[in-house]
Amino acid sequence: MTKIVLHGRKVVGGAAEGEALVTTDRISGWGGIDPRTGTIIETRHELRGRSFKGRVLVFPGAKGSSGWSSQFHVARLSGVAPAAMLFNEMTTKIALGAVVTHAPAMTDFDQDPLQVIETGDWVRVDADQGIVEVTKK
Amino acid sequence: MLDGEHGPAVQKAMDLLVRYGEALDAERLVDTNNVCATVGATTPFVRDFAAQHAGGMDAVFSEFSLDCADVVKIPKVKVYTSHLQQGIDPLNAQLQGVSAELVKIYRMGETYLGGLGVQLLNTCTPYQVGNVPVKGEHCAWMESSAVIYCNSVLGGRTNAEGRESAGAAMLTGKIPYWGYHLDENRLGTHLIELELEVKDTADWGLLGYYVGEMVQERIPVINGVRNVPNLARLKHFGAAASSSGGVEMYHVIGVTPEARNMKEAFGAGKPLATFRYGPAERKRAYEQVNSTGRDAHVDYVMLGCPHYSIEQIWEVCQLLEGQRIHADTSLWIFTPSTIKQIADRNGYTKIITDAGGHLMTDTCSAFGRVMPKGVQVAAVDSAKQAHYLPAIMGVQAWFGTTADCIQAAITGRWSGRLA
């Protein structure tokens, strides 16, 4: 089985693993997700109808309203948060959103996770060590 | 503050700011004396949380504004803090289909926040009712349309904060020194050359919608403005650009305070790309904003996104005075409560009510999810509202000028077209 290792910067510490859910679309919080089910609801989003609950969510970054963090905060309290978050573009929305989601999160990778990781791959994230281990499906 | 000498709430606030600052890789925190936030408990999830939790409003604040599961006693705010829009208008609860129970929760929150020293401006446009940051002032604001106005038009400095970071800022007077707080991150990245005259408020909204789509979260510089736009035009421009894209700052050459000329707007850098905005681009933006509009029958006209200024209410009244809106159509106009007081004095509220419309405060249809019953087709003069309302409320939305919208309210039919 092919294993790929990415190195990046810790955004939120901790370790977790799960199946990857990958999108090249940015994600909206308020008006973009249903925080009670962990489902993407934005009309033209490629993941519309898919749930990120327990998944390692791999995406470019956050967009939209300043309600981003509070939506992911509610998702965490509803027990439907992602297991980990990996993203490329740092903004205040995603930084705060990742912090209040309490799941390991990383950015600033040596390889683009959107190129390397596909939906369904098994991903182990150790944010404290700055390491992501991808096992291809 | 982190060691707890200022009490547990301040300690938790500082802990959140440190975690947030580390996530951003910010070098330090910066002092702020201007926070704009939503803290209320009127959204369904927070409402249920408040009802089930013995800690009451302190528990709501601890969890949702400080990311702290323990209930800590919340002290009075340390720095000047304004409340943004709320989930309902308590004085129009019945019309908005809001229960008496929810009004009670709203009033409880109001008393709590007033007691903490949070100014209850209750508007997405604090800059219209006295909270006007000066150039260079470090702020911690939420609400994308207010953030972009603060950075671009006023020269205040803020990132798009969230509920938790704004909550921590009001208790500590600190926020990460990152992003738009730093000179080098405020320079333009993309150039927009205007090939036509951008005229009314709706036209500025269209331009904003186009620009947001083109530059996403970068910093556009608009060149070629022939007439200085007023507050309402820049308000609608920014609200649109922060909806179709994630724009938090822009420059208008010769108009906004950090762009007296191209050199100042771009610094030593060059535009990453240049876009021309002519009749074809304007037409495409109009079609995109109107993509959900299908039926000519209009049952709801919503104005006041972002909240209307007194000038906009005056304009509406000139169009509406002596007229009567259609029996099958509702007209709701949203404004800050302070501006409504002036409208009351001026007789504008009476002109609107006599015509069959309503002047409301504190909320709007997208944020509060409040609309007349059974609405299928709405008409708006805000590109932002046209962007969000169909996604959030499942209705069709027509976008046009304020005059198009008033015409639709009177006739019950949409007859707007791009002039």
Side-chain angles (χ1 to χ4, degrees), chain A residues 9 66 69 73 76 90 92 102, chain B residues 20 23 63 67 143 160 164:
Chain A
R9 178 175 80 78
S66 58
S69 63
H73 193 151
R76 193 240 311 154
M90 181 52 88
T92 48
H102 296 187
Chain B
Y20 173 42
E63 180 62 61
D67 184 30
E143 171 51 41
E164 302 85 357

Side-chain angles (χ1 to χ4, degrees), chain B residues 24-262:
Chain B
L24 287 168
D25 207 13
E27 54 176 289
R28 63 180 173 92
L29 301 175
V30 65
D31 289 341
T32 177
N33 186 42
N34 193 332
V35 180
C36 283
T38 52
V39 193
T42 48
T43 57
F45 190 90
V46 181
R47 201 153 77 206
D48 294 349
F49 182 92
Q52 287 158 15
H53 212 289
M57 287 302 293
D58 273 349
V60 170
F61 197 107
S62 301
E63 180 62 61
F64 294 99
S65 296
L66 294 178
D67 184 30
C68 166
D70 305 330
V71 181
V72 287
K73 172 86 186 119
I74 306 303
K76 287 185 187 295
V77 296
K78 184 177 178 187
V79 296
Y80 177 47
T81 299
S82 303
H83 203 288
L84 293 164
Q85 66 272 33
Q86 297 270 8
I88 63 167
D89 174 358
L91 300 180
N92 282 292
Q94 210 172 357
L95 265 174
Q96 293 183 348
V98 170
S99 70
E101 177 61 21
L102 186 50
V103 175
K104 219 174 92 186
I105 294 171
Y106 179 95
R107 292 295 185 202
M108 193 176 79
E110 196 170 59
T111 307
Y112 175 82
L113 293 170
L116 293 184
V118 174
Q119 325 305 332
L120 299 169
L121 303 185
N122 295 355
T123 175
C124 50
T125 60
Y127 52 88
Q128 294 194 129
V129 289
N131 187 342
V132 188
V134 294
K135 189 180 173 194
E137 183 173 351
H138 291 288
C139 302
W141 282 22
M142 294 177 66
E143 171 51 41
S144 60
S145 72
V147 164
I148 191 172
Y149 195 93
C150 174
N151 276 325
S152 315
V153 184
L154 304 175
R157 296 184 171 211
T158 184
N159 293 308
E161 295 302 339
R163 181 164 175 154
E164 302 85 357
S165 56
M170 61 181 88
L171 300 187
T172 59
K174 307 270 183 201
I175 202 74
Y177 185 62
W178 191 86
Y180 292 107
H181 291 286
L182 285 80
D183 288 344
E184 61 266 33
N185 297 329
R186 299 175 63 83
L187 295 170
T189 61
H190 291 68
L191 179 60
I192 316 289
E193 288 282 5
L194 298 183
E195 292 182 338
L196 44 72
E197 191 182 347
V198 185
K199 289 175 181 156
D200 53 26
T201 307
D203 226 4
W204 275 92
L206 282 180
L207 175 62
Y209 204 77
Y210 166 81
V211 166
E213 188 96 19
M214 297 309 285
V215 311
Q216 290 295 315
E217 63 294 310
R218 306 306 295 276
I219 305 179
V221 177
I222 317 296
N223 190 39
V225 169
R226 298 178 201 169
N227 295 299
V228 176
N230 65 3
L231 181 154
R233 289 168 193 184
L234 292 178
K235 177 178 69 175
H236 280 254
F237 171 82
S242 59
S243 300
S244 60
V247 181
E248 294 176 17
M249 169 139 198
Y250 63 84
H251 300 285
V252 181
I253 298 294
V255 175
T256 55
E258 293 169 50
R260 282 169 296 180
N261 49 50
M262 296 283 246

Side-chain angles (χ1 to χ4, degrees), chain B residues 155-405:
Chain B
R157 296 184 171 211
T158 184
N159 293 308
E161 295 302 339
R163 181 164 175 154
E164 302 85 357
S165 56
M170 61 181 88
L171 300 187
T172 59
K174 307 270 183 201
I175 202 74
Y177 185 62
W178 191 86
Y180 292 107
H181 291 286
L182 285 80
D183 288 344
E184 61 266 33
N185 297 329
R186 299 175 63 83
L187 295 170
T189 61
H190 291 68
L191 179 60
I192 316 289
E193 288 282 5
L194 298 183
E195 292 182 338
L196 44 72
E197 191 182 347
V198 185
K199 289 175 181 156
D200 53 26
T201 307
D203 226 4
W204 275 92
L206 282 180
L207 175 62
Y209 204 77
Y210 166 81
V211 166
E213 188 96 19
M214 297 309 285
V215 311
Q216 290 295 315
E217 63 294 310
R218 306 306 295 276
I219 305 179
V221 177
I222 317 296
N223 190 39
V225 169
R226 298 178 201 169
N227 295 299
V228 176
N230 65 3
L231 181 154
R233 289 168 193 184
L234 292 178
K235 177 178 69 175
H236 280 254
F237 171 82
S242 59
S243 300
S244 60
V247 181
E248 294 176 17
M249 169 139 198
Y250 63 84
H251 300 285
V252 181
I253 298 294
V255 175
T256 55
E258 293 169 50
R260 282 169 296 180
N261 49 50
M262 296 283 246
K263 195 175 174 309
E264 191 182 31
F266 284 104
K270 282 211 171 74
L272 298 173
T274 299
F275 302 110
R276 301 192 178 279
Y277 183 76
E281 288 74 20
R282 178 169 175 262
K283 183 163 180 284
R284 202 177 75 212
Y286 184 82
E287 283 162 3
Q288 279 178 343
V289 178
N290 271 302
S291 65
T292 66
R294 290 185 306 275
D295 303 335
H297 163 84
V298 170
D299 37 30
Y300 177 40
V301 176
M302 197 219 112
L303 304 175
C305 166
H307 279 174
Y308 255 11
S309 65
I310 191 68
E311 181 185 9
Q312 290 174 294
I313 294 174
W314 168 66
E315 285 169 357
V316 159
C317 286
Q318 293 175 71
L319 296 164
L320 203 58
E321 189 162 15
Q323 305 268 10
R324 182 77 205 163
I325 66 169
H326 195 270
D328 300 333
T329 308
S330 303
L331 169 65
W332 291 8
I333 304 170
F334 294 89
T335 194
S337 59
T338 12
I339 290 180
K340 181 167 180 294
Q341 282 189 16
I342 302 168
D344 291 350
R345 281 190 154 177
N346 265 76
Y348 297 155
T349 310
K350 185 168 185 307
I351 291 172
I352 294 165
T353 345
D354 285 351
H358 299 277
L359 186 60
M360 301 184 174
T361 66
D362 292 43
T363 190
C364 78
S365 287
F367 192 78
R369 300 179 176 233
V370 288
M371 284 196 321
K373 274 201 187 69
V375 170
Q376 290 176 327
V377 184
V380 298
D381 66 353
S382 156
K384 173 177 182 167
Q385 195 73 201
H387 180 85
Y388 281 117
L389 203 60
I392 292 172
M393 300 299 282
V395 298
Q396 299 175 34
W398 289 109
F399 164 86
T401 63
T402 309
D404 289 339
C405 289

Side-chain angles (χ1 to χ4, degrees), chain A residues 6 14-24 27 38 40 47 50-60 72 80-87 101 103-107 109 113-114 116-127 131-135:
Chain A
L6 283 77
E17 55 190 302
E19 214 176 276
L21 181 65
V22 185
T23 175
T24 54
I27 293 177
I40 307 274
L47 290 185
R50 302 285 296 272
S51 169
F52 48 67
K53 177 186 175 184
R55 300 294 201 92
V56 174
L57 187 58
V58 187
F59 59 121
F72 278 82
V80 298
M85 294 201 255
L86 310 176
F87 57 89
T101 302
M106 288 174 58
T107 189
F109 296 99
L114 294 171
V116 175
I117 308 172
E118 292 165 281
T119 293
D121 290 348
W122 191 261
V123 180
R124 208 189 113 66
V125 178
D126 187 337
I131 293 171
V132 175
E133 234 177 59
V134 184
T135 309

Side-chain angles (χ1 to χ4, degrees), chain A residues 26 59-63 87-92 94-95 107-108, chain B residues 217:
Chain A
R26 293 175 183 83
F59 59 121
K63 64 171 184 178
F87 57 89
N88 290 327
E89 300 162 3
M90 181 52 88
T91 56
T92 48
I94 196 145
T107 189
D108 291 342
Chain B
E217 63 294 310

